[in-house]
Amino acid sequence: MREGIDLLRDMLLVRHFEERCARLYQESRIRGFLHLYVGEEAVAAGVLGELEPDDNLVATYREHGHALLKGVDPGAVMAEMFGRQEGCSGGRGGSMHLFDAAHRLFGGNAIVGGGLPLAVGLALADRLTRTPRVTACFFGEGAVAEGEFHECMNLAALWELPVLFCCENNLYAMGTALERSEADTDLSVRAATYGMAAWSVDGMDVEAVQHATRRALAMVRAGQPCFLELRTYRFRAHSMYDPELYRDKAEVARWKERDPIAAFRGRLEAAGVLSPEEAERLDREAAARVDDAVAFAEAGTLEPLETLTRHVYADRGTR
Amino acid sequence: MKLTGREAMRQAMRRAMAADDRVFLMGEDVGRYGGCFGVSKGMLEEFGAERVRDTPLSESAFVGAGIGAAMAGLRPIVEIMTCNFSLLALDQILNNAATLRHMSDGQFGVPLVIRMTTGGGRQLAAQHSHSLEGWYAHIPGIKVLTPGTVEDFAGMLQPALDDPDPVLIFEHGALYNAEAELADSAPAVDITSAALRRTGTDITLITYGGSLPLCLDAADQLAADGISAEVVDLRVLRPLDDTTVIASVSRTHRAVVVDEGWRSVGIAAEVSARIMEQAFWELDGPVARVCTAEVPLPYPKHLEEAALPSVGRVLDAARELVGHG
C-alpha cells in the first residue's frame, strides 16, 4: 500500500520516464511504435500501489508505467526500448511487449482486448489451485468495442474469477472518440450488466483511484470480479506517428490544467505534508533514476544473430 | 481391447486427468452434453464440473483462458467443436499462444493442448467441414498433430500434454468411429516423427489424418496392379519430419501427396517443395498432389465426394506417375 509521497514519487518516475522516451524517439534511439502514458499516471499509480507483489498484471501496449510501478527495474524497461538483450523481454518485444516473470507481469499486449482472455485464464488457474491472488487487467476504452471484452466479462462473472478489470478511458481509441464508436458511452453501466460490481472513477485524482481500488480489491479478493472505469486523458499523441487531427488543442489544454501530478503535489503541499523543496528533490530523484536507466540501456548489448530462433519453442529438456 | 478413435481419445484424457491434477478439460458442451462428438462422455461424472468445464460459446475467451491458465502452470485441454469455429479464437492462438515464449525471451511458455475436429465427408457443408490444419502449420511457435490411426488417437494426447509448447490436435471426424485393437496399456507415441505405414518400392503416398485410410486402400489396389506403394503418414504437420519423407522418396523416386486441405498454398505444396529442395535428383517424375477441390465444401453427397480426395483420385495420380516414370 503506497501513501502520499510514495504515490507522487511513482507518478514522477513514470512522467520522467515517458518524457525521456519521447526525446529518445526523436533521436532515433527508440524505434517502432511508442505509446506514452503522460497524463494518465494517476491510474497506474493508484491501482498498482494497492497490489501485492504476488498479484498478476496484464497490461496493454501503453504499459511502461504499469511495468515500472509493478517493480520492474527502469533500466530493464529502457533497455527493452533500446532492443538490448538486457531488456525485460530480452529486447525482443520492445515498447509494446514488456514481460517480467519475477514481477508477474504477463505482458504488454498489442492486440486491443487480447490480454483479457489471458487475465481470465490466470485467474482461473488461481481459482483451481486455491491460490489467494488477484489478477489486474488493464485495457483502454477502445477494447469495449471488441468481442473479447464481452466474452471475458461474462466468463469472469459466470465463473466468479478474481479479476480486477481496469478500463483506462482516455476518450480516444487512437483517433476515434468514444461517442463515435459506442452507442452507450456509460461504460460502468454496461459492465454492470454482466453481473459484477462496476463504477467510474476520476482517473486524474490518484487518491480517488487508490480508494476505488481498495474497495474493488476487497471484493475481488473475496472472489468476485470487479470493473473500474478510470476516466483519464492522454496529454501526448496516440503514438509518435500521430498528427492529432481528431482533437483540438483547446481540449488538450483544458485537460492539462488537471495534470494529476501537479494537482496531487499541490494538495500535499497545501496539507503541509510536503514542502516545495522536498517536491523539487523528488522531481530530481525521479529524473536521476531515469538517467540511470538510460545509461544502463546504452551500455546494453545486442542479441547475437545465432539466437534469432531461440525460444520459438522451449529448449529441449526444459519444461 | 477394441476401441474407436472417440473412445481412444476419451481414454487418453481420463488417464491424463487421473494422473495429473493440473490437467483439466474445457470447451463447449464437453460436460453435460458429453462433447459435441461424444468424446468426453461420462467425464463430467468422473471428474466433476471444476475439471470438466462447460464454457459459453466464446471461443476467443475460453481458448485465451486456456493460454492464461497454461502460463500460470496448469495443463489445460481445450476442445473446439470444429476447426471452422477455431477461427473465432485465431487471435488468441496466433497472437498469444504462438508468440508469448519468443516475445518474452523464454520467460513464459504456453503448455496448452487444443483439440478440434477437422475434415469433411459427413455432408456438413461449408462451415463445418474444412481442413485448416495446413493453415495452422504455417505458424511458428505451435505444434500441429494429425492422428490418422486409433493408436495415435490413444497415444498422442499425453506427449502433447508433456510438451512445454502449445500443441493443436486435429481429429478427423471420420476417424471417431474407426476401430482398432489396442493393448490395454497403449504406450505414448512419438509426436516428432512421421510413420511408415506400409513399405513399397515404386511410389510413395504421403498423407496424414483422414486421408490415411484412403491411401492404404489405394496401396492395396495398386499392389493388385503390380505397383508397390509405400505409405508415409506425416502425423505431425509442424514441425514436419523431412527425414522420413525424403528417405522414402529417395527409395521409390515417385511421390503423391494426399491432403484434404485445398490444393493452393497448402501442406501438400509445402511437402512437394521440400522434396524438390532436398531430393530433386532422386525424382523420376514430378511430385503429384491430390487435394480438395477449390470450393467451399458443398452439402450434396455426390458433390462433396467429388470435391474431396478419394481412392480413385489417388489411384489415377499414382498410375499416371508410374506410367510416365
Side-chain angles (χ1 to χ4, degrees):
Chain A
M1 195 175 292
R2 311 277 288 171
E3 297 296 344
I5 287 175
D6 294 328
L7 290 174
L8 182 62
R9 188 182 284 121
D10 289 348
M11 290 195 289
L12 284 167
L13 174 63
V14 176
R15 176 68 57 93
H16 278 282
F17 191 93
E18 297 292 66
E19 295 290 4
R20 183 66 70 87
C21 283
R23 290 210 299 280
L24 291 163
Y25 197 89
Q26 282 150 5
E27 295 165 12
S28 296
R29 311 290 297 283
I30 298 174
R31 294 283 81 192
F33 281 141
L34 180 71
H35 308 91
L36 300 175
Y37 200 58
V38 176
E40 305 185 41
E41 295 92 342
V43 174
V47 173
L48 288 162
E50 297 303 302
L51 293 185
E52 301 295 333
D54 194 43
D55 287 335
N56 295 326
L57 172 60
V58 174
T60 69
Y61 52 82
R62 195 183 302 284
E63 87 288 30
H64 309 162
H66 308 75
L68 294 173
L69 300 187
K70 191 69 167 68
V72 184
D73 179 67
V77 179
M78 191 62 85
E80 189 60 34
M81 312 283 179
F82 277 54
R84 305 298 165 98
Q85 55 187 344
E86 291 77 8
C88 61
S89 308
R92 285 170 162 192
S95 164
M96 302 192 284
H97 302 296
L98 305 175
F99 290 86
D100 191 330
H103 291 91
R104 302 194 73 81
L105 168 57
F106 291 83
N109 201 304
I111 305 296
V112 172
L116 278 89
L118 300 185
V120 168
L122 292 166
L124 174 61
D126 290 330
R127 168 58 49 88
L128 290 174
T129 57
R130 314 279 186 263
T131 305
R133 182 192 283 141
V134 158
T135 297
C137 179
F138 286 82
F139 51 93
E141 89 290 345
V144 173
E146 295 282 359
E148 280 178 333
F149 168 78
H150 300 277
E151 293 186 8
C152 289
M153 292 291 286
N154 177 57
L155 202 54
L158 181 73
W159 288 352
E160 300 181 329
L161 299 177
V163 182
L164 177 61
F165 291 100
C166 302
C167 178
E168 299 177 307
N169 180 4
N170 66 15
L171 300 178
Y172 293 91
M174 204 163 92
T176 302
L178 185 62
E179 66 268 17
R180 291 179 53 230
S181 66
E182 293 295 324
D184 178 352
T185 58
D186 195 334
L187 303 182
S188 57
V189 167
R190 294 178 59 193
T193 64
Y194 288 102
M196 71 175 78
W199 66 96
S200 301
V201 185
D202 179 1
M204 304 304 272
D205 178 346
V206 69
E207 288 179 307
V209 174
Q210 183 183 55
H211 292 147
T213 304
R214 277 182 196 163
R215 191 178 142 206
L217 281 175
M219 298 166 113
V220 176
R221 291 196 195 284
Q224 295 290 334
C226 207
F227 175 97
L228 294 179
E229 180 204 0
L230 303 141
R231 293 182 172 169
T232 184
Y233 198 80
R234 92 179 129 63
F235 292 172
R236 282 182 164 273
H238 167 74
S239 74
M240 304 305 279
Y241 289 98
D242 168 16
E244 293 190 74
L245 303 174
Y246 50 85
R247 62 181 188 182
D248 64 45
K249 290 189 168 60
E251 177 185 296
V252 180
R254 275 199 308 280
W255 277 92
K256 281 186 174 173
E257 288 168 15
R258 301 196 53 218
D259 185 317
I261 296 177
F264 189 54
R265 175 181 164 173
R267 201 180 308 162
L268 291 176
E269 288 184 11
V273 178
L274 182 75
S275 69
E277 295 73 27
E278 284 170 314
E280 290 306 313
R281 182 176 54 79
L282 289 176
D283 198 58
R284 285 194 304 276
E285 284 174 3
R289 286 189 72 190
V290 175
D291 287 342
D292 292 346
V294 174
F296 177 82
E298 283 176 337
T301 54
L302 293 172
E303 179 173 345
L305 296 181
E306 292 71 42
T307 54
L308 171 67
T309 58
R310 194 170 173 226
H311 299 312
V312 175
Y313 297 100
D315 295 335
R316 285 219 174 273
T318 61
R319 176 73 204 273
Chain B
M1 180 174 36
K2 199 157 200 159
L3 287 181
T4 62
R6 172 184 293 107
E7 290 162 346
M9 182 54 76
R10 182 188 308 142
Q11 174 183 287
M13 289 198 290
R14 291 178 56 219
R15 286 180 176 174
M17 287 181 61
D20 187 344
D21 287 342
R22 298 174 305 172
V23 180
F24 68 101
L25 172 67
M26 65 177 161
E28 293 156 355
D29 276 325
V30 297
R32 287 203 187 180
Y33 191 96
C36 177
F37 295 96
V39 177
S40 53
K41 195 166 174 225
M43 289 179 63
L44 173 67
E45 293 73 16
E46 185 173 357
F47 295 103
E50 192 158 72
R51 294 181 71 200
V52 180
R53 304 184 77 88
D54 281 320
T55 66
L57 280 67
S58 304
E59 284 82 359
S60 197
F62 70 73
V63 170
I67 296 167
M71 289 172 89
L74 298 187
R75 294 291 182 274
I77 304 169
V78 174
E79 177 178 305
I80 302 176
M81 283 187 182
T82 81
C83 67
N84 285 84
F85 304 174
S86 77
L87 302 182
L88 293 160
L90 191 53
D91 164 52
Q92 288 297 319
I93 297 170
L94 173 55
N95 286 318
N96 281 337
T99 61
L100 283 165
R101 182 185 294 283
H102 189 263
M103 204 160 58
S104 70
D105 197 34
Q107 291 180 84
F108 294 106
V110 183
L112 168 69
V113 173
I114 303 176
R115 301 176 34 247
M116 63 184 99
T117 312
T118 187
R122 291 164 292 151
Q123 286 193 262
L124 299 179
Q127 294 179 337
H128 285 69
S129 303
H130 291 139
S131 291
L132 302 180
E133 51 275 3
W135 275 25
Y136 284 100
H138 182 64
I139 304 169
I142 61 176
K143 297 183 178 179
V144 175
L145 306 184
T146 52
T149 64
V150 176
E151 184 188 20
D152 278 355
F153 269 71
M156 278 185 163
L157 181 76
Q158 187 57 51
L161 283 166
D162 292 340
D163 198 287
D165 290 307
V167 179
L168 276 56
I169 304 179
F170 289 84
E171 301 167 8
H172 197 288
L175 296 176
Y176 283 136
N177 290 328
E179 278 189 316
E181 196 68 38
L182 289 191
D184 188 38
S185 56
V189 303
D190 164 24
I191 58 164
T192 62
S193 306
L196 214 52
R197 298 296 184 195
R198 179 186 175 116
T199 56
T201 54
D202 298 329
I203 189 166
T204 302
L205 308 179
I206 301 161
T207 189
Y208 67 87
S211 300
L212 176 62
L214 297 185
C215 289
L216 292 170
D217 277 1
D220 283 342
Q221 296 190 36
L222 289 168
D225 296 351
I227 299 170
S228 167
E230 185 147 295
V231 178
V232 171
D233 174 6
L234 291 171
R235 302 177 68 251
V236 186
L237 301 191
R238 175 177 275 273
L240 264 178
D241 171 13
D242 292 357
T243 309
T244 302
V245 171
I246 300 302
S248 174
V249 174
S250 300
R251 286 191 296 272
T252 65
H253 310 294
R254 298 177 188 89
V256 179
V257 191
V258 183
D259 163 16
E260 205 180 303
W262 290 298
R263 180 184 173 93
S264 300
V265 204
I267 203 75
E270 177 64 28
V271 171
S272 171
R274 291 189 190 207
I275 293 170
M276 184 272 291
E277 288 165 345
Q278 299 175 51
F280 183 74
W281 303 108
E282 295 288 349
L283 291 173
D284 283 350
V287 175
R289 288 183 279 165
V290 176
C291 301
T292 291
E294 311 243 342
V295 292
L297 276 176
Y299 162 69
K301 189 171 170 59
H302 70 293
L303 291 181
E304 187 183 33
E305 282 176 357
L308 292 170
S310 61
V311 175
R313 288 174 61 202
V314 176
L315 289 172
D316 290 348
R319 285 172 180 147
E320 184 176 344
L321 196 51
V322 173
H324 293 175

